[in-house]
Amino acid sequence: MSGFARDPKYYGDRLVYEPLESKWSRYHATHCGCGQDWLTAHVIPAGFTVIPRGKSGYYGLVGPGLTEGVDEQALTANALWEAVTGKPGTQPWHETVHVTCRSPEAEAARKAENERVYGPRRERAAKAKTEPATDKQLAYLAKLAETAGKERFDAEFFKATKGTDIKPRAPRERMTTASKRLTKAAARKLIGALAALEAS
């Protein structure tokens, strides 16, 4: 989500505005429509500076009217709106600043919370790469394979098993037999691809 932030690790002591790329590119396409990149065509020429947030691909913006020469108790994105769309900003509400604490204690707490939330998901995903496909998956695959045909099945089977030890379907091997060699994760990928084809 777009918003004002202070993060000493990435931005030093500077106040930045972290834009949500999809939101601002949509604003630009809707209200300007020049077909150019909104950052290089409008934001940088307007005097704003892009500060990368490490190597994550995210970034912060600093510049006049947005983070410089402004009252931090009355922050809006109006200056950026005007630069991107060419129209005066009319944001009536004020935004707060999200401050990220990077102390060792705060980082440890963040890592612990991340592990609590995402640890079980990562564990399930790892198991799915080795556990065999379920009977329910195989039954659904049998129906999808019948509709898709051998050629399409083989193409999607190859994609779903790429990077694994699962061999492609042999010329005389039945599709249902080949499916039995799939892991849960590979079966999920194959089901998703074949189901999308069936829906199209």
Side-chain angles (χ1 to χ4, degrees):
M1 179 178 289
S2 294
F4 290 89
R6 284 190 184 280
D7 189 332
K9 180 177 179 179
Y10 296 114
Y11 308 124
D13 61 355
R14 302 181 83 170
L15 170 68
V16 305
Y17 181 81
E18 293 183 319
L20 181 63
E21 177 72 28
S22 59
K23 182 171 81 171
W24 282 93
S25 59
R26 185 175 69 250
Y27 289 160
H28 176 240
T30 302
H31 298 281
C32 175
C34 69
Q36 300 182 68
D37 175 68
W38 66 280
L39 271 178
T40 54
H42 302 292
V43 176
I44 295 172
F48 295 98
T49 301
V50 179
I51 305 177
R53 197 175 88 183
K55 297 180 180 179
S56 64
Y58 293 98
Y59 55 90
L61 297 174
V62 295
L66 183 66
T67 62
E68 298 170 357
V70 294
D71 178 1
E72 287 197 27
Q73 303 304 311
L75 293 170
T76 72
N78 284 335
L80 182 60
W81 177 270
E82 185 167 354
V84 171
T85 68
K87 301 175 177 65
T90 57
Q91 181 180 330
W93 70 92
H94 295 154
E95 300 189 27
T96 57
V97 179
H98 176 73
V99 179
T100 302
C101 177
R102 296 290 180 178
S103 68
E105 296 78 12
E107 290 289 277
R110 246 191 309 278
K111 286 180 181 177
E113 179 62 12
N114 182 283
E115 184 58 31
R116 184 189 71 78
V117 174
Y118 297 106
R121 297 183 194 178
R122 287 192 289 265
E123 190 175 322
R124 285 195 299 272
K127 284 183 179 179
K129 291 180 180 179
T130 57
E131 293 179 343
T134 65
D135 290 341
K136 189 174 181 180
Q137 284 178 314
L138 294 174
Y140 190 31
L141 271 173
K143 292 179 182 178
L144 291 171
E146 194 174 317
T147 304
K150 291 182 180 180
E151 187 175 326
R152 177 47 60 181
F153 177 88
D154 287 347
E156 298 303 335
F157 189 96
F158 177 78
K159 292 178 188 176
T161 58
K162 188 175 181 181
T164 73
D165 295 330
I166 302 168
K167 295 179 180 179
R169 186 182 70 85
R172 295 184 182 180
E173 186 180 22
R174 296 176 62 189
M175 292 183 285
T176 52
T177 304
S179 296
K180 291 178 182 178
R181 293 189 276 106
L182 294 172
T183 61
K184 283 182 180 177
R188 191 179 303 122
K189 285 183 184 178
L190 183 55
I191 286 170
L194 295 178
L197 286 169
E198 187 178 52
S200 63

